[in-house]
């Protein structure tokens, strides 16, 4: 059942305080009033959450009704006459404020929320000046249930925003109201942590100081902080970074201006993941590189000055013949860095070897990803503003773990009932699955075949009679007139991408012009690498390098570029491992640090005489490099990033680069200068201008990139608590589910009966070159865990929490989680958490599950302590 | 007394006492009295005609609001796009109300018949009987009656040879007063916290499991069964013009003969207290009475001639409510009585919305101080003000109910409240009245 969505374009007249206002018909009255700037106080109403109607602060007087009514539970209708300024409403608000403050402690001076607290604000605006109560205030004991969220129950006003957020956005029924009457309180079931990857948002949503951030606790008062609207280095989206004295103290969704001050926006609809909120706090880490390092004659890396280090690097590059230097750009580089690296490689060093796709395990996977990115519409607001009839998500359910911020934006449309959701995946994540209309569970190898079967049927026409056997529901779903096809590129390191991408493009053609295409990957600036010229076969317009475009490419760089074809990053690493290069430049290759093909990368570094690394933290890569240049952190660098949907995001500088470190674009330019390039920019803006000119958009400047992203719109009408939690008509369509052959049967050549296909991801909260440097990350780190389908677990005699080893994959024991919505013959895990090692990148890896002993009790205890 | 002198109980025919008497009407007994004839007649008439008949009879809801049952049933969409539900509200928890208990224990088949008729008229195939957990014997008898009826083909598929299918299931409450509120009852059946819902949407459109739902008190359904059997004319001949029919008054408190009295609507309060309940105990003087459970404002000496139907008490700003009449004599201290009741509402407020959660808590604290002799000047006015801040601003009516013992009492007996402050103690002899 879909909710009837009224047409918001119809405006009707509503009389507010005797003044006529044109408001969209059918919209939530409170939201409509807020949208036109008519402020009505509210606590429990949050635009992204269902209506609870329990704070009773948004009462308005309605002509013809005997009692005041809450405006958050009303819709705009024609001829409505309301009053928000009458004596009665004044009295209502005063009364409610008095009730709310009656048991609220007067601890504003030591409350973290003080200064941006809605209770403070409303009591100034709507409350009494004095207290009439002489009775003792209610007091609760203070529990500790989450490593990152602090709770002070005495301050709670029971708006239940946090409960609704976890239920609806997090799909994680972990917070709840306990007790009853005036003794009720907020808590978590079993006193456990709030475990969803978006849990940090409850801190912002809390209108009072009940839920506060532990890392930020007692660190600063909000009015001492400087706000910078920026985009994180390691995840999509925009955030406000709050700094004091050049130190990053907290990261929140975009702040809002109120009374001349920026404060937390508790009515935000743009939620951020814990990966961004807590994982961005790595800037405090003391490990960071602050001086250039160079390998001395004794073979040790020692501190160096910039000049000699740059000279040595330039010398080595100068000595290279064309094609003897290789540049690999990390996926978290800014657009400007990508552009400069491409220019340095192609126009200055005359080598075609530059690429960003180190994340993928094989050359063919990386190439397929490149093809997919080129086929995407690159349409701004692809996710937030457009309403699609249908959204088909293929092999991208894992983004919940690997890139929760993208995943959240995919899901919001379906949650707010603006689109219907269909899934084709090897693992149906309940987070998406609970909202899906149809879910098709398939083994990884066969997802492409499923798409082709659908495409073949669609090519015959959208008549339901054409539906392939058993796929009627899925077929009906894709016959929607307009929709969005979301294709996951990097599950299992892209191992299935070579088959999947052509299949997706074929079905896209068959779906017709109404359908858009969005390839998704957890790589932060994948789209930027593609459009800013750091992809082996693309110039900075995202166009293919070919003889016809040679002239254009030369124009962009102002110099001739080599026309030889270049492999992608995995291919480049293979070449390097064969000793083909004299110099290997690794620019912030975060994704290589915890890469499952570490053996190959080690070989590539060992076989190259000169490895130059630009990085912010030491890693095994920088330890083996000949020269290391220290780069800049989040908040220390200007530039732009491109979100996966093509939205250009501004990365703003809010702090000075400490020590002897430099902004990366400056390092690359300095290196270019030494090599005879003439380019010397004062600010990143100049580089962006070049890039914009290449894109044919000279009007866009770095400063003009609008960071105003309104986020998903509030839903129409009043959406009630009991309607949103779960759609009662969803179930996994087991009737549609084809016979799943167990991998072992199809894999007769291996001769082993229990080989399972390994379907892996890089977990966003697992070991990460940047994120896990955050002091808060230990608490978030997931436990080593592999998931098995129910049938496989039964076949192998394994049950939940059994310890196993992935023979042929990882040497670290992990625990089994039986997942009923995982395809048979598949084992699912996070590569960086398990410490996965792959010998080659050919196809999907197969592993054997061996029972293992549980790690020693002390180790487990140690880990548990860290998490607490 | 004259008009109602020779009234023979219909609903509570054969019901003895207020406490379980060991006698529950069996299916055979009930059928011998013409039981399930109403259902048979309904099945012959078809749902639309049944609905018209109930509408014509103007059966006003006995749960307290007095909303006509026929109109309520008429709100249910006349299609079967989604399943419809009938919820029977047997969560009788109002202080001073105990009439449903006897009916549940001793005449379960009457209720089942009424529920089946309601289900038939609203195109529903499922009936949930929500019984409060403490009514153990009632639950047992109800379950037995359901089993018997199912065995006799009165519940299940093809009832009485028609194509009407209906299942009846008991759902036990978990001890919350608030679950007697219809939307909280629905939430409770869904397995959630018993939180009342905001309206709109109304249960008739989106109730149980987001489907059209009818929630009726058991007495309403029992009357519907009788109306189907005996006809509208018979029913309209009883009671007053605007409030036809009968109801069971539960009289308790300081009277000589407390108990359940089934009488036509239209009897006066004075008749109920002095003629039926035998007057005030020990020859004491009457002080005040709750006419409809503890949730409605009190009536005083000069107002006793009010006719106890759905409309007349409104002129004193009070209601017939759940017809639980609590009589208080001159020994009762209003502060003490209010404190007792406020403890109940403070304890039973679900805590969902601000005014009720904080208001009951605050008033309870103030009354506790007053009764202990620690009141301060201004407390009485503060209580009045808090009552005003709660009334009609909460999600459900519980907040307003909590003010029932105060809104009419303080203006009339301000001196008694003030005396607690001035004397620094309760001026009443306590003796047997203890509150803890």
């Amino acid at each position: 059942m879909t909710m009837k969505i009224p047409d918001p374009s119809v405006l009707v007249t509503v009389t507010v305080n005797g003044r006529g206002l044109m408001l969209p018909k059918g919209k939530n009255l409170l939201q409509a009033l807020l949208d036109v700037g008519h402020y009505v106080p509210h606590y429990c109403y949050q635009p992204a959450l269902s209506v609870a109607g329990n704070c009773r602060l948004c009462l308005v007087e309605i002509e013809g009704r005997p009692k005041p009514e809450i405006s958050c539970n009303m819709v705009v209708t024609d001829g409505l006459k309301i009053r928000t300024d009458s004596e009665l409403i004044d009295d209502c608000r005063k009364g409610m404020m008095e009730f709310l403050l009656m048991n609220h402690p007067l601890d504003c001076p030591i409350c973290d929320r003080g200064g941006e607290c809605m209770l403070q604000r409303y009591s100034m605006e709507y409350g009494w000046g004095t207290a009439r109560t002489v009775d003792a205030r209610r007091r609760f004991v203070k529990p500790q249930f989450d490593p990152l969220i602090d709770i002070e129950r005495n301050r709670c006003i029971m708006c239940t925003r946090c409960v609704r957020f976890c239920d609806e956005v997090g799909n994680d029924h972990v917070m709840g109201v306990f007790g009853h009457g005036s003794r009720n309180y907020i808590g978590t079931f079993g006193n456990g942590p709030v475990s969803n990857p978006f849990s940090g948002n409850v801190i912002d949503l809390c209108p009072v100081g009940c839920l506060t951030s532990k890392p930020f606790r007692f660190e600063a008062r909000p009015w001492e902080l400087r706000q910078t609207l920026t985009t994180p280095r390691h995840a999509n989206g925009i955030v406000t970074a709050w700094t004091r004295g050049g130190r990053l103290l907290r990261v929140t969704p975009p702040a809002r201006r109120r009374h001349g001050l920026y404060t937390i926006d508790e009515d935000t609809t743009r939620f951020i993941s814990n990966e961004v909120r807590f994982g961005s706090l790595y800037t405090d880490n003391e490990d960071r590189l602050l001086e250039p390092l160079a390998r001395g004659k004794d073979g040790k890396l020692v501190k160096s000055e910039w000049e000699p280090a740059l000279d040595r690097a330039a010398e080595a590059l100068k000595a290279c013949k064309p094609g003897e230097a290789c540049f690999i750009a990390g996926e978290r580089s800014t657009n400007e860095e990508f552009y400069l690296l491409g220019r340095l490689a192609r126009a200055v060093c005359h080598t075609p070897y530059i690429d960003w796709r180190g994340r993928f395990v094989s050359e063919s996977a990386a190439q397929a990803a490149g093809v997919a990115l080129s086929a995407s519409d690159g349409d701004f607001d692809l996710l937030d503003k457009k309403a699609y009839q249908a959204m088909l998500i293929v092999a991208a359910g894992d983004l919940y773990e690997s890139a929760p911020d993208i995943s959240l934006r995919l899901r919001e449309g379906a949650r707010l009932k603006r689109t219907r959701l269909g899934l084709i995946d090897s693992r149906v994540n309940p987070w998406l699955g609970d909202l899906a209309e149809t879910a098709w569970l398939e083994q990884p190898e066969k997802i492409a075949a499923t798409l082709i079967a659908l495409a073949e049927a669609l090519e015959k026409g959208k008549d339901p009679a054409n539906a392939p056997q058993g796929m009627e529901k899925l077929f009906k779903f894709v016959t929607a007139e307009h929709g969005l096809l979301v294709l996951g590129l990097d599950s299992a390191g892209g191992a299935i991408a070579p088959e999947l991408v052509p299949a997706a493009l074929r079905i896209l053609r068959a779906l017709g012009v109404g359908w858009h295409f969005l390839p998704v990957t957890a790589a932060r600036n994948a789209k930027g690498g593609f459009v800013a010229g750091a992809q082996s076969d693309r110039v900075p317009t995202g166009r293919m390098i070919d003889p016809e475009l040679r002239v254009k490419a030369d124009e962009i760089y102002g110099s001739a570029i080599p026309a030889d074809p270049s492999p992608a990053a995995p291919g480049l690493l293979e070449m390097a491992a064969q000793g083909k290069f004299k110099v290997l430049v690794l620019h912030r290759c975060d994704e290589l640090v915890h890469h499952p093909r570490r053996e190959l990368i080690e070989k590539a570094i060992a076989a190259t005489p000169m490895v130059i690394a630009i990085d912010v933290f030491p890693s095994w890569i920088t330890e083996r490099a000949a020269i290391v240049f220290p780069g800049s952190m989040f908040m220390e660098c200007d530039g732009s990033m491109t979100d996966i949907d093509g939205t250009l995001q501004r990365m703003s500088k809010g702090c000075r680069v400490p020590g002897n470190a430099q902004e990366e674009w400056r390092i690359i330019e300095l290196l270019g200068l030494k090599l005879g390039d003439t380019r010397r920019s004062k600010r990143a803006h100049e580089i962006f201008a070049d890039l914009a000119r290449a894109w044919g958009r000279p009007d866009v400047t770095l400063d003009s990139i609008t960071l105003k992203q309104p986020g998903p719109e509030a839903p129409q009408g009043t959406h009630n608590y009991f309607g949103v939690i779960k759609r009662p008509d969803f179930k996994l369509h087991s009737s549609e589910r084809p016979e799943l052959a167990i991998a072992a049967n199809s894999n007769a050549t291996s001769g082993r009966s229990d080989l399972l296909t390994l379907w892996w991801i890089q977990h966003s909260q697992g070991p990460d070159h940047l994120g896990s440097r955050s002091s808060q990350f230990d608490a978030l780190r997931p436990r080593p865990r592999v998931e098995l389908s129910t049938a496989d677990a039964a076949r192998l005699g394994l049950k939940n929490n059994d310890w196993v080893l992935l023979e042929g994959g990882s040497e670290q024991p992990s625990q089994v989680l039986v997942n009923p919505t995982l395809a048979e013959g598949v084992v699912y895990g996070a590569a960086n958490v398990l410490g996965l090692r792959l010998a080659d990148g050919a196809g999907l890896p197969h592993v054997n599950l061996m029972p293992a002993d549980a790690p020693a009790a002390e180790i487990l205890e140690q880990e548990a302590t860290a998490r607490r | 007394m004259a008009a109602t002198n020779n009234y023979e109980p219909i609903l509570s025919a054969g019901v003895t006492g207020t406490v379980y008497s060991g006698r529950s009407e069996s299916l055979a007994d009930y059928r011998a009295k013409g039981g399930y004839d109403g259902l048979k007649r309904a099945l012959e008439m078809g749902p639309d005609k049944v609905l018209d008949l109930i509408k014509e009879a103007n059966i006003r809801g006995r749960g307290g609001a007095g909303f006509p049952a026929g109109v309520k049933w008429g709100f249910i969409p006349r299609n079967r796009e989604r399943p419809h539900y009938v919820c029977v509200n047997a969560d009788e928890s109002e202080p001073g109300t105990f009439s449903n208990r006897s009916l549940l224990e001793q005449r379960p088949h009457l209720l089942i018949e009424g529920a089946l008729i309601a289900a038939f008229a609203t195109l529903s195939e499922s009936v949930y009987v929500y019984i409060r957990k403490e009514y153990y014997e009632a639950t047992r008898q109800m379950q037995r009656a359901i089993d018997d009826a199912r065995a006799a083909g009165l519940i299940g598929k093809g009832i009485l040879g028609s194509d009407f299918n209906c299942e009846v299931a008991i759902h036990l409450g978990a001890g919350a007063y608030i679950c007697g509120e219809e939307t909280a009852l629905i939430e409770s059946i869904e397995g959630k916290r018993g939180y009342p819902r905001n309206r709109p949407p109304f249960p008739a459109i989106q109730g149980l499991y987001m489907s059209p739902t009818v929630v009726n008190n058991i007495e309403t359904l029992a009357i519907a069964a009788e109306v189907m059997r005996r006809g509208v004319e018979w029913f309209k001949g009883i009671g007053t013009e605007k409030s036809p029919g009968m109801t069971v008054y539960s009289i308790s408190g300081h009277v000589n003969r407390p108990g359940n009295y089934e009488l036509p609507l239209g009897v006066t309060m004075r008749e109920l207290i002095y003629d039926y309940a035998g007057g005030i105990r020990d020859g004491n003087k009457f002080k005040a009475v709750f006419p409809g459970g503890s949730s409605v404002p009190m009536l005083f000496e000069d107002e006793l001639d009010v006719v106890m139907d759905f409309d007349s008490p409104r002129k004193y700003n009070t209601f017939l409510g759940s017809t639980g009449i609590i009589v208080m004599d001159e020994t009762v201290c209003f502060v003490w009585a209010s404190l007792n009741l406020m403890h109940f509402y403070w304890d039973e407020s679900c805590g969902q919305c601000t005014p009720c959660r904080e208001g009951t808590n605050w008033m309870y604290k103030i009354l506790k101080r007053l009764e202990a002799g620690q009141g301060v000047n201004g407390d009485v006015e503060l209580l009045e003000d808090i009552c005003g801040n709660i009334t009609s601003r909460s999600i459900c009516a519980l907040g307003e109910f909590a003010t029932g013992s105060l809104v009419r009492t303080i203006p009339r007996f301000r001196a008694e409240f003030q005396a607690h402050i001035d004397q620094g103690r309760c001026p009443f002899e306590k003796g047997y009245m203890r509150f803890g």
Side-chain angles (χ1 to χ4, degrees), chain B residues 15-72:
Chain B
V15 171
T16 51
T18 57
V19 183
Y20 174 60
S21 61
R23 265 194 270 153
S24 179
E25 194 176 34
S26 69
L27 180 59
D29 286 354
Y30 182 60
R31 293 197 96 160
K33 281 191 217 164
Y36 290 107
D37 287 354
L39 178 63
K40 206 179 282 172
R41 190 172 157 221
L43 293 175
E44 283 159 11
M45 284 166 73
D48 295 337
K49 281 194 177 155
V50 174
L51 184 60
D52 290 344
L53 191 141
I54 298 292
K55 271 184 186 163
E56 196 198 331
N58 191 21
I59 305 172
R60 299 185 64 171
R62 263 49 172 180
F67 193 77
V71 179
K72 200 185 225 180

Side-chain angles (χ1 to χ4, degrees), chain A residues 42 230 407 433 457 528 573 631 692 787 827:
Chain A
H42 56 277
T230 182
S407 187
L573 287 168
E787 290 182 15
V827 56

Side-chain angles (χ1 to χ4, degrees), chain A residues 94-107:
Chain A
K94 265 189 182 164
M96 290 313 147
M97 284 315 297
E98 186 176 31
F99 283 143
L100 288 172
L101 288 167
M102 209 187 76
N103 283 303
H104 191 87
L106 284 172
D107 61 352

